Amino acid sequence: MTFATTLRNSLGKDLRLEWRSKDAINSMLFFALLVVVIFSFSFELSAEESRRIAGGLIWVALLFATVVALNQTWARELRNQVLDVYRIAPAPLESLFLAKVLGNFIFVSVLELLITPLFIVFYNLRSVGPWYYLVIASILGNWALVVNGTFFGAISLRTRSREVLLPLILFPVSIPALLAMVSATTVTLTGESSPYLSLVFLAVYDIVFTLLGLLLFETVLQAE
């Protein structure tokens, strides 16, 4: 099988399974809704104060919600022995990794589309800076979260307490990207300065960790 065929088949399978079960989306949405509602009722914020803290709240909610979905990504394959089939199949394993990353990216992006209107309503948000910077920050930030999470999810796959191990590995590595996401979102919402440097940092971060994931994934999978 070619790289493109394996990528298309694996991604299509994940999307069909999620469409039927909706396990990942429902779990992520429930967790993100909790964060939105609890914080909105905990603080009485002015519009200016909301713009200053909204970037942090949005990305922290997405980070924790993403971990919920990432814990299910590889567990499903492990239960059905799909990974054992991939190991002996004449297919490039990098395509499996990229398909998982793309699937998780789609799930997180859908979640973000669902909760963004709630953030706007609950926190009375209005962007002072150009809105397209928020779109770019969302795309780059989502990719940064899922590319590392998918890779470290594969590393922790066969450990006894993988639900605990994954966040312990993922959070420290994601901190630089998380700070850049929050900075880009906050300065765009407040209009204080340009998020250009933060977006460039996120783009470089995404490229580096995507290449590392593609290069090391086969070694990680075969070593299990």
Side-chain angles (χ1 to χ4, degrees), residues 136-209:
I136 298 172
S138 297
I139 294 171
L140 295 176
N142 290 349
W143 188 267
L145 291 180
V146 300
V147 73
N148 279 335
T150 306
F151 180 73
F152 291 125
I155 290 179
S156 61
L157 182 61
R158 293 188 186 278
T159 58
R160 190 171 297 174
S161 54
R162 60 175 175 271
E163 288 83 3
V164 177
L165 182 62
L166 176 58
L168 288 178
I169 305 174
L170 177 62
F171 288 174
V173 178
S174 299
I175 284 176
L178 191 63
L179 293 175
M181 297 171 208
V182 173
S183 173
T185 305
T186 302
V187 298
T188 303
L189 287 174
T190 59
E192 290 178 342
S193 60
S194 171
Y196 179 76
L197 289 179
S198 296
L199 295 177
V200 170
F201 177 84
L202 274 176
V204 173
Y205 183 96
D206 287 355
I207 292 171
V208 169
F209 280 92

Side-chain angles (χ1 to χ4, degrees), residues 23-138:
D23 287 341
I25 290 294
N26 286 340
S27 304
M28 295 165 70
L29 185 58
F30 177 74
F31 191 91
L33 283 175
L34 277 180
V35 174
V36 174
V37 173
I38 289 174
F39 279 99
S40 68
F41 285 108
S42 300
F43 305 106
E44 291 187 7
L45 303 169
S46 64
E48 179 63 26
E49 290 170 333
S50 293
R51 281 194 289 270
R52 289 190 178 280
I53 69 166
L57 287 178
I58 291 170
W59 285 113
V60 167
L62 283 175
L63 175 64
F64 284 101
T66 301
V67 171
V68 174
L70 290 171
N71 274 323
Q72 302 178 27
T73 299
W74 295 109
R76 181 185 294 160
E77 310 291 11
L78 193 62
R79 283 197 298 270
N80 299 321
Q81 288 81 47
V82 175
L83 293 181
D84 295 331
V85 175
Y86 270 107
R87 285 194 187 96
I88 60 176
L93 292 176
E94 295 83 2
S95 60
L96 174 62
F97 172 72
L98 195 57
K100 289 292 183 188
V101 175
L102 285 171
N104 287 325
F105 178 78
I106 292 171
F107 300 152
V108 174
S109 298
V110 170
L111 171 70
E112 199 168 17
L113 288 174
L114 292 174
I115 67 169
T116 297
L118 297 177
F119 266 101
I120 294 173
V121 171
F122 277 86
Y123 295 94
N124 191 24
L125 287 180
R126 182 179 62 83
S127 176
V128 177
W131 62 269
Y132 53 82
Y133 279 140
L134 295 175
V135 177
I136 298 172
S138 297

Side-chain angles (χ1 to χ4, degrees), residues 11-22:
L11 178 60
K13 171 183 68 67
D14 286 346
L15 294 179
R16 283 194 300 274
L17 288 174
E18 182 56 32
W19 177 255
R20 292 170 186 166
S21 68
K22 297 181 178 58

